[in-house]
Amino acid sequence: MTAPAPHTVLFLHAYPFSGAMWDDQRAALEAEGFRVLTPNLPGFGGEPGAITTLEDAARDLLATLPPGEPLAVVGLSMGGYLAMELLRQAPERFTRVVLADTSLRTDGPEKTGDRRDQADRVEAEGRDFIVHAAEKEHSPATFRRVRPMIETATREGIAGALRAMAVRGEHRDTLRTLEAPLLVLVGEVDEITPTELAQEIADAGRGELRVIPEAAHLSNLDNPDAFNAALLGFLR
């Protein structure tokens, strides 16, 4: 039996940004009649608190979602990690899944240590070095969009997210048992979670892989027209 098409779409933002990173997608989907949810995770976009673990963040988020209707979830990077945790805890809630520029794997020892070091540093020094790193990582146009989002993130929020990502679990089994249709999106020149990691997700979840041309890690911001076209084609 075909899963019902969702009316409500939950977007989960990347680190260290906010729900505002989905403004282009919100406009496109609302124009097509979808209800769009773009929550700010704890410590981001003016939201108080901090993420302790992705498991707890998913559990708290599930309690806020509208009951009794089919939902789609779209997660990019850290938002993808959280989306997979939602699917592990409550796969029956979602009838469409979109994972973008993310990975089903855990971090290796070097990356884990780097995240913990960054968490300690941001608590001690503030977020300026995070802003400078983002400027080097993203195109000028994308950096102009995300800089205000980084600057609204709290030290505690950034540090909490880093530590939570460092200890996250692998979700290969989550995707292998996924019954909802899966779309995997990845920027053509994403060096952080490249195409081979996206293909691994698609293979595990028996999903479709779409490469977003002329886009890096924030593919929804680097090429919103192509991202939105793929997204709407999948959700309709």
Side-chain angles (χ1 to χ4, degrees):
M1 184 173 65
T2 303
H7 172 68
T8 300
V9 184
L10 170 67
F11 286 88
L12 301 175
H13 67 79
Y15 159 90
F17 310 124
S18 72
M21 69 171 280
W22 298 114
D23 285 353
D24 293 333
Q25 286 67 51
R26 173 186 287 280
L29 267 64
E30 287 183 343
E32 295 291 325
F34 288 93
R35 179 188 182 193
V36 176
L37 307 176
T38 57
N40 294 317
L41 299 175
F44 299 96
E47 189 70 16
I51 296 171
T52 52
T53 66
L54 292 177
E55 291 88 345
D56 287 346
R59 190 174 302 110
D60 292 345
L61 187 57
L62 283 167
T64 72
L65 297 179
E69 65 169 287
L71 302 171
V73 62
V74 182
L76 190 150
S77 196
M78 179 180 73
Y81 306 152
L82 182 56
M84 286 183 272
E85 181 58 32
L86 289 174
L87 296 171
R88 187 188 71 82
Q89 293 187 23
E92 72 283 355
R93 297 299 314 276
F94 303 97
T95 61
R96 297 287 190 282
V97 177
V98 181
L99 299 174
D101 303 283
T102 191
S103 172
L104 59 76
R105 302 180 185 182
T106 59
D107 287 340
E110 183 177 352
K111 184 64 176 179
T112 297
D114 183 57
R115 290 197 199 273
R116 288 172 171 159
D117 289 345
Q118 287 189 48
D120 292 342
R121 183 178 175 187
V122 76
E123 287 178 331
E125 301 177 15
R127 69 175 83 86
D128 284 353
F129 76 97
I130 302 288
V131 175
H132 294 320
E135 185 172 17
K136 295 177 181 178
E137 183 176 305
H138 303 295
S139 71
T142 294
F143 176 67
R144 284 194 295 272
R145 296 279 300 274
V146 301
R147 180 172 186 167
M149 303 180 210
I150 303 172
E151 290 175 342
T152 64
T154 64
R155 296 186 187 196
E156 295 78 11
I158 293 172
L162 285 165
R163 292 183 179 124
M165 287 189 287
V167 297
R168 71 184 188 278
E170 182 177 278
H171 282 291
R172 197 175 306 271
D173 289 342
T174 301
L175 294 174
R176 283 175 176 160
T177 58
L178 182 67
E179 297 184 1
L182 168 67
L183 174 65
V184 182
L185 301 175
V186 64
E188 180 181 25
V189 290
D190 184 348
E191 296 181 355
I192 297 175
T193 51
T195 306
E196 55 265 30
L197 294 184
Q199 185 65 64
E200 188 175 29
I201 295 170
D203 290 345
R206 302 164 306 286
E208 176 189 2
L209 173 64
R210 297 283 296 274
V211 177
I212 305 300
E214 300 178 4
H217 188 58
L218 296 181
S219 57
N220 73 305
L221 292 171
D222 293 335
N223 192 342
D225 289 343
F227 191 100
N228 292 352
L231 184 60
L232 282 166
F234 177 69
L235 293 175
R236 286 191 182 111

